[in-house]
Amino acid sequence: MRPRGGHLSTELSTVTVDNRSVASAAAIGVLRVAIDAPLRHPFDYLAPAGLAPAAVPLGVRVRVPIGRREAIGMVVDRAEQPQVSVAALKAVRQVIDATPLLDSALMQLLRWTADYYHHPLGEVIAAALPRALRTGAPCAAQVEWWRATPAGRDAVSATALHRAPRQQALLERLAQTAHGLSSADLALQLPGWRAAARVLLQRGSIERLELDAPAEASADAQPARSHAPESGRHAPALSAAQSAALASIDASAGSYAAWVLQGATGSGKTEVYLQCAERTLARGGSVLVLVPEIGLTPQLVQRFRARLAVDIAVLHSGLSDAARLAAWRAAHSGRARALLGTRSAVFAPLPQLGLIVVDEEHDSSYKQHDGGCRYSARDLAVVRAQQCGVPVVLGSATPALETLHNLDLGRYRGLTLPRRDDQALAPRLALVDLRAHAPHRGLSTPVIDAMRRHLAASGQVLVFINRRGYAPTLLCTACGWIAPCQACDARMTVHRASGQLRCHHCGAQQPLAARCLRCGFEVKPVGQGTERVEETLRELFPDQALVRLDRDSAARPEQLDAILDSVLSGTARILVGTQMVTKGHHFPGVSLVVVLNADQGLFSTDFRAAERLAQTMVQVAGRAGRERDRGEVLIQTQYPEHPLLRSLLSGGYAGFAAAALIEREAARWPPFGRLAVLRASTRSSGGALAFLAAARQLAPAAAAVRLLGPVAAAMARRADRYHAQLLVEGAERRPLHRFIADWLPQVETLARAQRVRYALDVDPIDIE
Ligand SMILES: [Zn+2]
Ligand SMILES: [Zn+2]
């Protein structure tokens, strides 16, 4: 949610729209500047004194006065006539960049994003830039440089410095060179030089400069793979299906085409990406590869570095600001011709873009969901490919229903990779009826027996449970008290390893209580989480090495890498994990997959829950199956007759998807209709609902659009705010967007008056 209004809008009221003066003003020429603020329109500014507006390129950053403060914005347009009275116009204070920071192709994508998601352009641009660039850092990497001043050169021979040998040495060293030395050079030559430099700088003996770094000297936080042995670049032979896919994608080079590369884990999708990338690079194009948030492992990065004979930049949310800036600069300058990144990398600058790959395109992490512009990086990748006239490859074992629908319509083209080992050896799926086999601490007897069998046959076992922590509930055995989150309509999850109770919705945490906070009696954890399943399995299989993979055990990329390594090397025999295990990792040694709680999500109010569950199940099941042996998948459930489980069992993902698409069409849900959701939250209960009801009243009449709600969110109170939503549905995209464009400014005014936080989400993936 984006805070709206407040002091910023009051400051901005000094710049008011005055149509009368626009009509009478002579053509004066203004720059339109998009500012990182919740404002629908760019602002008009005069060019800096002495510069014609035409002399300021579009896509450069400028410092501008706004109210009583200063902001950094981007020049997005020029105009003959200002939209405001001439008297209110102010001038740009400084033009930061000499050349555009964003080229016209990227600006086109950002404009499209702002229009489609009905989000202020200034905020969209800001989201596309590393923080350092938003605050005015130079576009090119710079190096710190030191040079002796004329006064300093004169002082070299003076005796004044004889008592300060470090200063003397530094000054002598600098005076020997005409152009001076960089900090990096000095650090090598004169240890402890910086303290001396400070004194000399104060005295005026030396000066400090910032120069644009030569391309090869700019520091990249992710060191470029310089010259790996040729053997590392050796491309394995392709299967017939891989070769066919490669040939098809490659034949579309230089023009827009959207390819859906459908293949199970281990079918060799990454190899197709790699060889497509190699061919694109060989033609002089650059390559953008998007991966899900968790999928960007050091292993994957290494694999690309080992194979592609170019510098590769990496962008993800875990980077420091400096590393993010370095990666962005490397891509922007054309030095890194391949970029691997998560969601926001869809906006990365890449001159000569020739290919876009979206791996695991169904993954929900491609959708921005927590504040800001709620874009889908997968969808924007397709738009970018279209705008740039290049192919885009959407890879997945379980494509989103939207993607399959686009295939049906002929908008996308399909490519299929069978499992490399053998399609006939797809894993056997079976349900374990928990009504007949009561589980003990989450595990039923058939599951434990199967585990023993597979471990004895030296297979690995993956146990999937989509809940981290020790137990989802802490219960008082005397009075029935359940540890609640103070800020949400939710229970606290027990995290025994860290001795905490944590709320998985707002992040609140407190020490794990040993006694009931109401009656003082003993409390006990109820239900299963990954930590507890790990504990149980260690008791049942004391001789088997076990690792756990969830957001707690793999908080850092190195931890994730170590866990994956132990499974891949075979050291770990049992892997307990959450959804993280499904993110594109292939475990060839796993012969048995156990799904402990399939039932979560079978009865959700969200029409997308079934799709997500089916994808998770198929992705988890896809981990089973050794190179030669047939894998086994056991799904524990209370509802073995549930249609979703039946369609998965009989028809696999394709069977499920066909049935689900028929249901969606009957209900006019996406992809057969268009959807947006207006979400709101307030501190008072009922405030959000009242706001949305009022917003509904403001809606212009539009026959092609249906409003549903408002309703309270499934979890109405979250992080001490009350949440509600109003659905906007339309059969066609254009009328729906026209309606939103008319309606949203009024909603905005209302929200400001009522101090409500709200956000519009176009193509939402979570309906509560
Ligand atoms: Zn109690
Ligand atoms: Zn909470």
Side-chain angles (χ1 to χ4, degrees), residues 361-437:
E361 63 88 32
H362 66 278
D363 195 281
S364 59
S365 74
Y366 285 124
K367 175 83 174 172
Q368 167 79 27
H369 54 274
D370 46 2
C373 176
R374 284 145 204 256
Y375 63 91
S376 155
R378 188 261 325 272
D379 294 349
L380 287 181
V382 175
V383 171
R384 189 170 182 180
Q386 219 162 10
Q387 291 178 342
C388 295
V390 301
V392 57
V393 182
L394 309 173
S396 177
T398 53
L401 294 182
E402 271 86 354
T403 302
L404 292 175
H405 183 59
N406 280 326
L407 264 181
D408 288 343
L409 294 179
R411 289 187 190 139
Y412 296 174
R413 292 144 86 180
L415 299 163
T416 309
L417 299 181
R419 272 171 85 110
R420 263 184 94 96
D421 16 25
D422 183 356
Q423 182 69 2
L425 292 184
R428 268 186 311 243
L429 263 76
L431 301 179
V432 176
D433 187 347
L434 289 179
R435 296 167 308 181
H437 305 278

Side-chain angles (χ1 to χ4, degrees), residues 485 488 503 506:
C485 175
C488 307
C503 173
C506 72

Side-chain angles (χ1 to χ4, degrees), residues 306-381:
R307 281 288 296 285
L308 301 183
V310 295
D311 282 350
I312 296 176
V314 177
L315 272 176
H316 60 85
S317 60
L319 290 179
S320 68
D321 283 350
R324 182 181 295 267
L325 178 63
W328 193 94
R329 280 168 167 166
H332 182 259
S333 67
R335 184 165 59 78
R337 288 177 51 218
L339 187 136
L340 245 68
T342 51
R343 186 172 58 226
S344 69
V346 74
F347 299 119
L350 277 165
Q352 314 298 327
L353 182 63
L355 172 72
I356 305 178
V357 172
V358 184
D359 190 28
E360 306 291 336
E361 63 88 32
H362 66 278
D363 195 281
S364 59
S365 74
Y366 285 124
K367 175 83 174 172
Q368 167 79 27
H369 54 274
D370 46 2
C373 176
R374 284 145 204 256
Y375 63 91
S376 155
R378 188 261 325 272
D379 294 349
L380 287 181

Side-chain angles (χ1 to χ4, degrees), residues 704-716:
V705 170
R706 219 158 46 113
L707 293 167
L708 304 169
V711 293
M715 185 182 292

Side-chain angles (χ1 to χ4, degrees), residues 223-234:
R225 183 210 53 74
S226 50
H227 296 289
E230 282 301 316
S231 59
R233 245 181 259 162
H234 168 74

Side-chain angles (χ1 to χ4, degrees), residues 135-329:
T135 51
C139 171
Q142 299 206 310
V143 290
E144 192 182 39
W145 204 265
W146 303 85
R147 192 163 64 183
T149 60
R153 288 174 193 277
D154 291 343
V156 173
S157 50
T159 55
L161 289 177
H162 284 175
R163 278 203 220 153
R166 285 224 168 123
Q167 293 171 28
Q168 176 76 13
L170 175 60
L171 191 56
E172 277 175 9
R173 188 71 198 83
L174 289 176
Q176 282 162 11
T177 68
H179 303 292
L181 291 165
S182 71
S183 297
D185 288 337
L186 289 171
L188 284 176
Q189 298 176 15
L190 298 169
W193 63 277
R194 196 169 272 279
R198 267 195 291 273
V199 181
L200 291 174
L201 186 65
Q202 267 180 2
R203 270 189 214 141
S205 304
I206 62 173
E207 57 187 346
R208 180 182 170 278
L209 308 163
E210 282 196 348
L211 304 177
D212 283 356
E216 63 278 7
S218 65
D220 186 341
Q222 302 283 334
R225 183 210 53 74
S226 50
H227 296 289
E230 282 301 316
S231 59
R233 245 181 259 162
H234 168 74
L238 297 183
S239 69
Q242 283 175 313
S243 300
L246 174 64
S248 298
I249 297 164
D250 200 50
S252 68
S255 61
Y256 165 71
W259 297 98
V260 179
L261 183 60
Q262 208 172 341
T265 320
S267 61
K269 290 191 295 287
T270 309
E271 190 53 42
V272 174
Y273 305 154
L274 279 166
Q275 298 205 19
C276 284
E278 282 174 333
R279 296 199 182 183
T280 305
L281 292 167
R283 278 190 293 266
S286 56
V287 177
L288 172 62
V289 180
L290 297 180
V291 293
E293 192 59 58
I294 297 295
L296 189 55
T297 60
Q299 287 173 334
L300 184 76
V301 176
Q302 274 159 22
R303 188 161 168 199
F304 273 81
R305 286 218 162 103
R307 281 288 296 285
L308 301 183
V310 295
D311 282 350
I312 296 176
V314 177
L315 272 176
H316 60 85
S317 60
L319 290 179
S320 68
D321 283 350
R324 182 181 295 267
L325 178 63
W328 193 94
R329 280 168 167 166

